[in-house]
């Protein structure tokens, strides 16, 4: 992996990196470094917007304020300026490379992973596939294995569909998982998500954002801005992360 440098202006320190690996062309990443960081979160974007989308930028800033550094990255199709996501194997190849780069950038910090919508789903898919291939039901302490998975709007189903097939692999993901989900999310009916997470058991934690949509956006009449919500989400993430790190490897 080829690493690049730079500093962001006005916010927490950040630097650009280039992520290389098998099965995909090189893609860009941005590391945002938190002061007194307790962990680094590898953060994939959603299907329709890149790592530089305001949601991703503001989320990284909010997490940095809670002591969580981030590496967010582009998938290859987004890096090339295309709108249609790549085949799943190429998407997973990018996640695999991003995890390796995240481990390098973490410099000894515990590694977490996840993302917004598709980025989170691809991350959990890779983690579940690795666990199944290894025949293990635990998160082994390999450097590139995340200690936990964090989802910012998990895409459980297509809009209007009453099924949860996109979440079936979660039962095979052995890590603790945190789901931030809005009550107005058209891609994750909570009446479908809750039973799924109950079957997963103690590994799954659900944080419900009352009034939030798939991007955790709020209606104006709520009196809350998305920055308010992201501050809440970041605080919940830090407390959950502290709990995971205080316990044994899952």
């Amino acid at each position: 992996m080829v690493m690049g440098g730079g500093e962001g202006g006005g916010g927490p320190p950040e630097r650009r990196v280039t992520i290389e690996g098998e099965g995909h062309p090189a893609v860009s990443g941005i590391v945002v470094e938190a002061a007194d960081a307790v962990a680094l979160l590898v953060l994939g974007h959603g299907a329709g917007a890149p790592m530089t989308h305001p949601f991703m930028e503001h989320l990284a800033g909010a997490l940095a304020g809670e002591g969580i550094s981030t590496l967010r990255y582009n998938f290859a199709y987004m890096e090339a300026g295309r709108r249609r996501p790549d085949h799943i194997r190429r998407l997973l190849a990018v996640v695999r490379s991003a995890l390796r780069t995240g481990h390098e950038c973490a410099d000894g910090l515990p590694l977490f992973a996840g993302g917004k919508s598709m980025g989170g789903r691809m991350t959990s898919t890779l983690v579940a596939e690795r666990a199944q291939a290894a025949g293990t039901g635990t998160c082994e302490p390999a450097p590139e294995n995340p200690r936990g998975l964090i989802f910012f709007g998990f895409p459980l189903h297509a809009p209007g569909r009453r099924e949860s097939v996109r979440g079936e692999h979660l039962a095979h993901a052995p890590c603790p998982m945190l789901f931030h989900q809005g009550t107005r999310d058209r891609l994750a009916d909570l009446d479908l998500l809750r039973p799924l997470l109950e079957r997963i058991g103690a590994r799954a934690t659900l944080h419900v954002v009352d009034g939030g949509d798939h991007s955790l956006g709020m209606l104006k009449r709520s009196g809350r801005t998305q920055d308010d919500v992201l501050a809440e989400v970041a605080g919940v993430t830090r407390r959950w992360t502290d709990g995971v790190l205080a316990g044994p490897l899952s």
Side-chain angles (χ1 to χ4, degrees), residues 44-69:
H45 62 72
M51 65 176 180
T52 54
H53 187 273
F55 176 92
M56 300 292 287
E57 292 182 346
H58 294 171
L59 176 60
L63 290 167
E66 292 288 345
I68 299 174
S69 298

Side-chain angles (χ1 to χ4, degrees), residues 126-146:
L126 179 66
V127 169
E129 286 189 358
R130 281 180 165 178
Q132 288 181 288
T136 66
T138 61
C139 283
E140 297 178 351
E144 297 168 17
N145 284 347

Side-chain angles (χ1 to χ4, degrees), residues 19-27 76 86 90-98 100:
I19 300 171
E20 298 177 329
E22 295 183 2
H24 66 89
V27 297
D86 291 319
R90 177 172 278 195
L91 295 173
L92 294 179
V94 173
V95 176
R96 185 178 298 108
S97 298
R100 284 198 296 267

